[in-house]
Amino acid sequence: MRYFLEKASQSSTVNRALRDGRRNGRNYSYSDKQFVDIMMARSQGIWIYVHYVLAEIENGTHSPLSLDLLPSGLSAYYADYWIRWHQLSQDWDDRDLPVLATLAALNEPAPLADICAFAKVERNGPLKRLMDGAWRAFLFADGPHDRRRYKFYHLSLNQFFAGQRGDDDEDQQQSQEQFTEELAEATNAAHGRICDRYLQVWGGLDAGLPELREPEKRDLDDRYGLRWIATHLVMARRENELYRLLTVSWPVSDGGRQQPAWFSARDACGDLAGFIADTRLAFRRVMADAGERSAQINDALGKAVHLALISTSARSLMASAPPKLISMLVRNNIWTLEQAIGVVRELPVATLQAEILSELAGDCEPGRRRDIIGEALKAANRISYTVAWLISICRILPLLDGEEKRKHADLILHHMQTVDIPYPLRVFRHLSPHLPEPSRS
């Protein structure tokens, strides 16, 4: 960190600011060493603090420079910056706070149009210039100017807006408590607005989410709601609605059967792994709720058992799919490679994981293949039954190159000596095409 600051002090903008600083209300020039020492002390060695201060110096916010007034610690810096912004802004309540709270709630970068829809503010030029200008140091921005996606640059800022305290001085925290509570309430409200947007578009939980059947409404905002509404419901403290989301059903025309709505929507997008992740999240929250509210333990346990059964059923369904079927879904662009890998990771059997991953690795582009082969080998090495492990490694062997292939072939030959006949013959059938002639004989 010190080396980085020494280099930063040599930039023309920082160097000029140091020569035109202020201390205790008087003009004062800071030496490079003073700059480095003060920044090291005030940042407490946290690089993102330094990133923000340097950005302020670059855009002229700290002009003339008063390093002595910088707060100590990251949480104190955030509070100082955003309180100053609050005091100077004429649009804090109507625009700035709703947008900032929405950015704090987001789980992935989103276009400005979606952010404005979540925040219920007007999308206009001044807001766009604010995102790309004064707030730029606090944001991750991806994509060309007209299709740019935004989120907070560093997780610590999400945590600050959510009301999670840092390790700064307690007295300082108390003086800022009212402001941080305002931010936390606004962020909680942003989670709720995001939930309401999708639940309303999908027809509402009371009606059974009938519009979730419609691909255009299901896929609103590039499927952001489908991926993240479960997390937003938890963050908005609406766990009961999450349980209802996972258990609501649609009637099926023949015989009065019921079709699980959320499972069907996730399955239609090839995202059963996401469905299982939602059930796990709900299960954890139900169990936590049971610990906090002992009077409602029976209701909570009933929900927990129901969610566990839902998750187990989904995992069993995935495990019953033939390995070649999953690779065919990817090959024919029905599933993306990442969707297929997500499903494989949820499978309860390492043998199936290794077999499907080796199938997928054979079809994917070279840049991604090495990672998938590595994951297949890890899955194979979790197999405890020697014959099954040998066969899994044999399936992966054709995907390996050079020394790595020779090493694994030798490993297989060594372990074959420990397996009773007739199993070595079964393994050798997979292995022999990849052996040099002396070893094959």
Short mmCIF file of all heavy atoms in Angstrom, two decimals, residues 88-131:
data_model
loop_
_atom_site.label_atom_id
_atom_site.label_comp_id
_atom_site.label_asym_id
_atom_site.label_seq_id
_atom_site.Cartn_x
_atom_site.Cartn_y
_atom_site.Cartn_z
N LEU A 88 -25.78 18.75 0.53
CA LEU A 88 -25.65 19.62 -0.65
C LEU A 88 -26.68 19.32 -1.73
O LEU A 88 -26.95 20.18 -2.58
CB LEU A 88 -24.24 19.47 -1.24
CG LEU A 88 -23.09 19.95 -0.36
CD1 LEU A 88 -21.75 19.60 -1.00
CD2 LEU A 88 -23.18 21.46 -0.13
N SER A 89 -27.26 18.12 -1.72
CA SER A 89 -28.16 17.71 -2.79
C SER A 89 -29.56 18.29 -2.60
O SER A 89 -30.11 18.25 -1.50
CB SER A 89 -28.25 16.19 -2.87
OG SER A 89 -29.22 15.80 -3.82
N GLN A 90 -30.16 18.76 -3.68
CA GLN A 90 -31.54 19.21 -3.66
C GLN A 90 -32.50 18.08 -4.05
O GLN A 90 -33.72 18.27 -4.03
CB GLN A 90 -31.72 20.40 -4.61
CG GLN A 90 -30.89 21.62 -4.22
CD GLN A 90 -31.06 22.76 -5.20
OE1 GLN A 90 -31.66 22.63 -6.26
NE2 GLN A 90 -30.53 23.93 -4.82
N ASP A 91 -31.95 16.93 -4.43
CA ASP A 91 -32.78 15.82 -4.90
C ASP A 91 -32.59 14.56 -4.06
O ASP A 91 -32.80 13.45 -4.55
CB ASP A 91 -32.42 15.51 -6.37
CG ASP A 91 -32.64 16.69 -7.28
OD1 ASP A 91 -33.78 17.16 -7.37
OD2 ASP A 91 -31.66 17.15 -7.90
N TRP A 92 -32.17 14.73 -2.82
CA TRP A 92 -31.85 13.56 -2.00
C TRP A 92 -33.04 12.62 -1.82
O TRP A 92 -32.96 11.43 -2.10
CB TRP A 92 -31.32 14.01 -0.64
CG TRP A 92 -31.04 12.87 0.30
CD1 TRP A 92 -31.80 12.47 1.35
CD2 TRP A 92 -29.91 11.98 0.25
NE1 TRP A 92 -31.22 11.38 1.98
CE2 TRP A 92 -30.06 11.07 1.32
CE3 TRP A 92 -28.79 11.87 -0.56
CZ2 TRP A 92 -29.14 10.06 1.58
CZ3 TRP A 92 -27.87 10.87 -0.30
CH2 TRP A 92 -28.05 9.97 0.76
N ASP A 93 -34.15 13.13 -1.37
CA ASP A 93 -35.31 12.28 -1.06
C ASP A 93 -35.99 11.76 -2.32
O ASP A 93 -36.44 10.60 -2.35
CB ASP A 93 -36.33 13.05 -0.20
CG ASP A 93 -35.79 13.33 1.19
OD1 ASP A 93 -35.13 12.45 1.77
OD2 ASP A 93 -36.03 14.44 1.70
N ASP A 94 -36.09 12.58 -3.35
CA ASP A 94 -36.86 12.21 -4.53
C ASP A 94 -36.07 11.39 -5.55
O ASP A 94 -36.66 10.66 -6.33
CB ASP A 94 -37.39 13.47 -5.23
CG ASP A 94 -38.35 14.25 -4.35
OD1 ASP A 94 -39.03 13.60 -3.52
OD2 ASP A 94 -38.41 15.48 -4.48
N ARG A 95 -34.73 11.52 -5.52
CA ARG A 95 -33.95 10.82 -6.56
C ARG A 95 -32.74 10.11 -5.98
O ARG A 95 -32.60 8.88 -6.13
CB ARG A 95 -33.49 11.81 -7.63
CG ARG A 95 -32.72 11.17 -8.78
CD ARG A 95 -31.98 12.20 -9.61
NE ARG A 95 -30.91 12.87 -8.86
CZ ARG A 95 -30.20 13.89 -9.31
NH1 ARG A 95 -30.49 14.42 -10.49
NH2 ARG A 95 -29.23 14.41 -8.57
N ASP A 96 -31.86 10.83 -5.30
CA ASP A 96 -30.57 10.26 -4.92
C ASP A 96 -30.71 9.07 -3.99
O ASP A 96 -30.12 8.00 -4.22
CB ASP A 96 -29.69 11.34 -4.27
CG ASP A 96 -29.34 12.45 -5.24
OD1 ASP A 96 -29.72 12.35 -6.42
OD2 ASP A 96 -28.70 13.43 -4.82
N LEU A 97 -31.46 9.23 -2.89
CA LEU A 97 -31.58 8.14 -1.93
C LEU A 97 -32.25 6.90 -2.53
O LEU A 97 -31.74 5.78 -2.34
CB LEU A 97 -32.33 8.61 -0.68
CG LEU A 97 -32.48 7.56 0.43
CD1 LEU A 97 -31.12 7.04 0.88
CD2 LEU A 97 -33.25 8.13 1.62
N PRO A 98 -33.37 7.03 -3.25
CA PRO A 98 -33.96 5.82 -3.85
C PRO A 98 -33.02 5.10 -4.82
O PRO A 98 -32.97 3.86 -4.84
CB PRO A 98 -35.20 6.34 -4.57
CG PRO A 98 -35.54 7.62 -3.88
CD PRO A 98 -34.24 8.21 -3.46
N VAL A 99 -32.26 5.86 -5.61
CA VAL A 99 -31.34 5.24 -6.57
C VAL A 99 -30.17 4.58 -5.84
O VAL A 99 -29.79 3.44 -6.16
CB VAL A 99 -30.83 6.28 -7.59
CG1 VAL A 99 -29.69 5.70 -8.44
CG2 VAL A 99 -31.97 6.73 -8.49
N LEU A 100 -29.59 5.27 -4.87
CA LEU A 100 -28.47 4.70 -4.12
C LEU A 100 -28.91 3.45 -3.35
O LEU A 100 -28.18 2.44 -3.32
CB LEU A 100 -27.91 5.73 -3.15
CG LEU A 100 -27.13 6.89 -3.78
CD1 LEU A 100 -26.93 8.01 -2.77
CD2 LEU A 100 -25.77 6.41 -4.32
N ALA A 101 -30.09 3.49 -2.75
CA ALA A 101 -30.58 2.32 -2.03
C ALA A 101 -30.83 1.14 -2.97
O ALA A 101 -30.58 -0.01 -2.62
CB ALA A 101 -31.87 2.68 -1.29
N THR A 102 -31.29 1.43 -4.17
CA THR A 102 -31.49 0.37 -5.17
C THR A 102 -30.16 -0.24 -5.58
O THR A 102 -30.03 -1.46 -5.69
CB THR A 102 -32.23 0.94 -6.39
OG1 THR A 102 -33.52 1.40 -5.98
CG2 THR A 102 -32.38 -0.12 -7.47
N LEU A 103 -29.16 0.60 -5.80
CA LEU A 103 -27.82 0.09 -6.11
C LEU A 103 -27.30 -0.79 -4.98
O LEU A 103 -26.64 -1.81 -5.21
CB LEU A 103 -26.87 1.26 -6.36
CG LEU A 103 -27.06 2.02 -7.67
CD1 LEU A 103 -26.34 3.37 -7.63
CD2 LEU A 103 -26.56 1.20 -8.86
N ALA A 104 -27.59 -0.40 -3.73
CA ALA A 104 -27.16 -1.20 -2.58
C ALA A 104 -27.87 -2.55 -2.55
O ALA A 104 -27.31 -3.53 -2.05
CB ALA A 104 -27.42 -0.44 -1.29
N ALA A 105 -29.09 -2.60 -3.06
CA ALA A 105 -29.88 -3.84 -3.01
C ALA A 105 -29.56 -4.79 -4.16
O ALA A 105 -29.78 -6.00 -4.04
CB ALA A 105 -31.37 -3.50 -3.04
N LEU A 106 -29.02 -4.27 -5.26
CA LEU A 106 -28.80 -5.10 -6.46
C LEU A 106 -27.83 -6.24 -6.19
O LEU A 106 -26.84 -6.08 -5.48
CB LEU A 106 -28.25 -4.24 -7.59
CG LEU A 106 -29.22 -3.28 -8.29
CD1 LEU A 106 -28.47 -2.47 -9.35
CD2 LEU A 106 -30.37 -4.04 -8.94
N ASN A 107 -28.11 -7.38 -6.82
CA ASN A 107 -27.23 -8.54 -6.72
C ASN A 107 -26.33 -8.71 -7.93
O ASN A 107 -25.43 -9.56 -7.93
CB ASN A 107 -28.06 -9.81 -6.54
CG ASN A 107 -28.69 -9.88 -5.17
OD1 ASN A 107 -28.01 -10.03 -4.17
ND2 ASN A 107 -30.01 -9.73 -5.13
N GLU A 108 -26.57 -7.93 -8.98
CA GLU A 108 -25.73 -7.96 -10.18
C GLU A 108 -25.92 -6.63 -10.90
O GLU A 108 -26.89 -5.91 -10.65
CB GLU A 108 -26.12 -9.13 -11.08
CG GLU A 108 -27.52 -9.07 -11.62
CD GLU A 108 -27.90 -10.30 -12.43
OE1 GLU A 108 -27.65 -11.42 -11.97
OE2 GLU A 108 -28.48 -10.12 -13.53
N PRO A 109 -25.01 -6.27 -11.80
CA PRO A 109 -25.17 -5.00 -12.52
C PRO A 109 -26.48 -4.96 -13.30
O PRO A 109 -26.91 -5.97 -13.86
CB PRO A 109 -23.95 -4.99 -13.47
CG PRO A 109 -22.96 -5.90 -12.83
CD PRO A 109 -23.75 -6.97 -12.16
N ALA A 110 -27.10 -3.78 -13.34
CA ALA A 110 -28.38 -3.61 -14.03
C ALA A 110 -28.35 -2.34 -14.87
O ALA A 110 -27.66 -1.37 -14.53
CB ALA A 110 -29.51 -3.53 -13.01
N PRO A 111 -29.10 -2.32 -15.98
CA PRO A 111 -29.18 -1.10 -16.79
C PRO A 111 -29.85 0.03 -16.00
O PRO A 111 -30.64 -0.22 -15.08
CB PRO A 111 -30.05 -1.53 -17.98
CG PRO A 111 -30.09 -3.02 -17.95
CD PRO A 111 -29.90 -3.43 -16.53
N LEU A 112 -29.57 1.25 -16.41
CA LEU A 112 -30.15 2.40 -15.72
C LEU A 112 -31.67 2.36 -15.78
O LEU A 112 -32.34 2.74 -14.82
CB LEU A 112 -29.61 3.70 -16.33
CG LEU A 112 -30.07 5.00 -15.65
CD1 LEU A 112 -29.69 5.00 -14.18
CD2 LEU A 112 -29.46 6.20 -16.36
N ALA A 113 -32.24 1.88 -16.89
CA ALA A 113 -33.69 1.81 -17.01
C ALA A 113 -34.28 0.92 -15.93
O ALA A 113 -35.32 1.24 -15.32
CB ALA A 113 -34.08 1.29 -18.39
N ASP A 114 -33.65 -0.22 -15.66
CA ASP A 114 -34.14 -1.13 -14.61
C ASP A 114 -33.96 -0.51 -13.23
O ASP A 114 -34.84 -0.64 -12.37
CB ASP A 114 -33.39 -2.46 -14.68
CG ASP A 114 -33.72 -3.25 -15.95
OD1 ASP A 114 -34.57 -2.78 -16.73
OD2 ASP A 114 -33.11 -4.31 -16.16
N ILE A 115 -32.81 0.13 -13.00
CA ILE A 115 -32.56 0.77 -11.71
C ILE A 115 -33.64 1.82 -11.43
O ILE A 115 -34.18 1.90 -10.32
CB ILE A 115 -31.15 1.40 -11.69
CG1 ILE A 115 -30.09 0.29 -11.75
CG2 ILE A 115 -30.96 2.27 -10.46
CD1 ILE A 115 -28.69 0.80 -11.98
N CYS A 116 -33.98 2.61 -12.45
CA CYS A 116 -35.02 3.63 -12.28
C CYS A 116 -36.38 2.99 -12.03
O CYS A 116 -37.18 3.51 -11.24
CB CYS A 116 -35.06 4.54 -13.50
SG CYS A 116 -33.61 5.60 -13.67
N ALA A 117 -36.66 1.88 -12.71
CA ALA A 117 -37.93 1.19 -12.48
C ALA A 117 -38.00 0.65 -11.06
O ALA A 117 -39.05 0.75 -10.39
CB ALA A 117 -38.08 0.05 -13.49
N PHE A 118 -36.90 0.08 -10.56
CA PHE A 118 -36.86 -0.42 -9.18
C PHE A 118 -37.02 0.73 -8.17
O PHE A 118 -37.68 0.58 -7.15
CB PHE A 118 -35.53 -1.14 -8.90
CG PHE A 118 -35.32 -2.39 -9.69
CD1 PHE A 118 -34.03 -2.77 -10.07
CD2 PHE A 118 -36.37 -3.20 -10.07
CE1 PHE A 118 -33.80 -3.94 -10.79
CE2 PHE A 118 -36.16 -4.36 -10.80
CZ PHE A 118 -34.87 -4.73 -11.16
N ALA A 119 -36.34 1.86 -8.46
CA ALA A 119 -36.34 2.99 -7.53
C ALA A 119 -37.58 3.87 -7.67
O ALA A 119 -37.83 4.72 -6.81
CB ALA A 119 -35.09 3.84 -7.75
N LYS A 120 -38.32 3.69 -8.77
CA LYS A 120 -39.50 4.50 -9.08
C LYS A 120 -39.14 5.97 -9.22
O LYS A 120 -39.76 6.85 -8.61
CB LYS A 120 -40.60 4.29 -8.04
CG LYS A 120 -41.17 2.87 -8.05
CD LYS A 120 -42.39 2.73 -7.18
CE LYS A 120 -42.98 1.33 -7.35
NZ LYS A 120 -44.21 1.12 -6.54
N VAL A 121 -38.08 6.22 -9.99
CA VAL A 121 -37.67 7.59 -10.30
C VAL A 121 -37.59 7.73 -11.81
O VAL A 121 -37.53 6.74 -12.55
CB VAL A 121 -36.31 7.94 -9.66
CG1 VAL A 121 -36.35 7.77 -8.15
CG2 VAL A 121 -35.18 7.12 -10.28
N GLU A 122 -37.57 8.97 -12.27
CA GLU A 122 -37.51 9.23 -13.70
C GLU A 122 -36.09 9.01 -14.23
O GLU A 122 -35.11 9.43 -13.61
CB GLU A 122 -37.93 10.68 -13.97
CG GLU A 122 -37.90 11.07 -15.45
CD GLU A 122 -38.18 12.54 -15.67
OE1 GLU A 122 -38.46 13.25 -14.68
OE2 GLU A 122 -38.12 12.98 -16.84
N ARG A 123 -36.01 8.34 -15.35
CA ARG A 123 -34.71 8.18 -16.02
C ARG A 123 -34.48 9.41 -16.89
O ARG A 123 -35.26 9.70 -17.80
CB ARG A 123 -34.73 6.92 -16.89
CG ARG A 123 -33.44 6.68 -17.64
CD ARG A 123 -33.61 5.56 -18.64
NE ARG A 123 -32.41 5.33 -19.41
CZ ARG A 123 -32.34 4.53 -20.48
NH1 ARG A 123 -33.43 3.90 -20.89
NH2 ARG A 123 -31.21 4.38 -21.12
N ASN A 124 -33.40 10.15 -16.62
CA ASN A 124 -33.14 11.37 -17.37
C ASN A 124 -31.65 11.63 -17.49
O ASN A 124 -30.82 10.92 -16.92
CB ASN A 124 -33.85 12.57 -16.73
CG ASN A 124 -33.50 12.73 -15.26
OD1 ASN A 124 -32.36 12.45 -14.85
ND2 ASN A 124 -34.45 13.20 -14.45
N GLY A 125 -31.32 12.67 -18.24
CA GLY A 125 -29.93 13.01 -18.48
C GLY A 125 -29.14 13.36 -17.24
O GLY A 125 -28.01 12.88 -17.06
N PRO A 126 -29.69 14.20 -16.34
CA PRO A 126 -28.92 14.53 -15.13
C PRO A 126 -28.56 13.31 -14.29
O PRO A 126 -27.45 13.24 -13.75
CB PRO A 126 -29.89 15.46 -14.36
CG PRO A 126 -30.71 16.10 -15.44
CD PRO A 126 -30.89 15.04 -16.48
N LEU A 127 -29.46 12.33 -14.19
CA LEU A 127 -29.15 11.13 -13.42
C LEU A 127 -28.07 10.31 -14.12
O LEU A 127 -27.14 9.81 -13.47
CB LEU A 127 -30.41 10.27 -13.23
CG LEU A 127 -30.20 8.94 -12.49
CD1 LEU A 127 -29.61 9.18 -11.11
CD2 LEU A 127 -31.51 8.17 -12.40
N LYS A 128 -28.15 10.20 -15.43
CA LYS A 128 -27.13 9.48 -16.19
C LYS A 128 -25.76 10.14 -16.00
O LYS A 128 -24.74 9.45 -15.79
CB LYS A 128 -27.52 9.46 -17.66
CG LYS A 128 -26.47 8.90 -18.62
CD LYS A 128 -26.28 7.42 -18.44
CE LYS A 128 -25.37 6.86 -19.54
NZ LYS A 128 -24.98 5.47 -19.27
N ARG A 129 -25.71 11.47 -16.06
CA ARG A 129 -24.44 12.18 -15.87
C ARG A 129 -23.92 11.99 -14.44
O ARG A 129 -22.70 11.93 -14.22
CB ARG A 129 -24.62 13.66 -16.21
CG ARG A 129 -24.79 13.93 -17.70
CD ARG A 129 -24.70 15.41 -18.01
NE ARG A 129 -25.85 16.14 -17.50
CZ ARG A 129 -27.01 16.28 -18.15
NH1 ARG A 129 -27.17 15.73 -19.35
NH2 ARG A 129 -28.00 16.97 -17.63
N LEU A 130 -24.83 11.92 -13.48
CA LEU A 130 -24.43 11.69 -12.10
C LEU A 130 -23.78 10.31 -11.95
O LEU A 130 -22.74 10.17 -11.29
CB LEU A 130 -25.66 11.80 -11.20
CG LEU A 130 -25.45 11.79 -9.69
CD1 LEU A 130 -24.60 12.98 -9.26
CD2 LEU A 130 -26.79 11.81 -8.98
N MET A 131 -24.37 9.30 -12.56
CA MET A 131 -23.84 7.93 -12.47
C MET A 131 -22.47 7.84 -13.12
O MET A 131 -21.57 7.15 -12.62
CB MET A 131 -24.80 6.96 -13.15
CG MET A 131 -26.21 6.95 -12.59
SD MET A 131 -26.39 6.02 -11.07
CE MET A 131 -26.55 4.36 -11.69
#
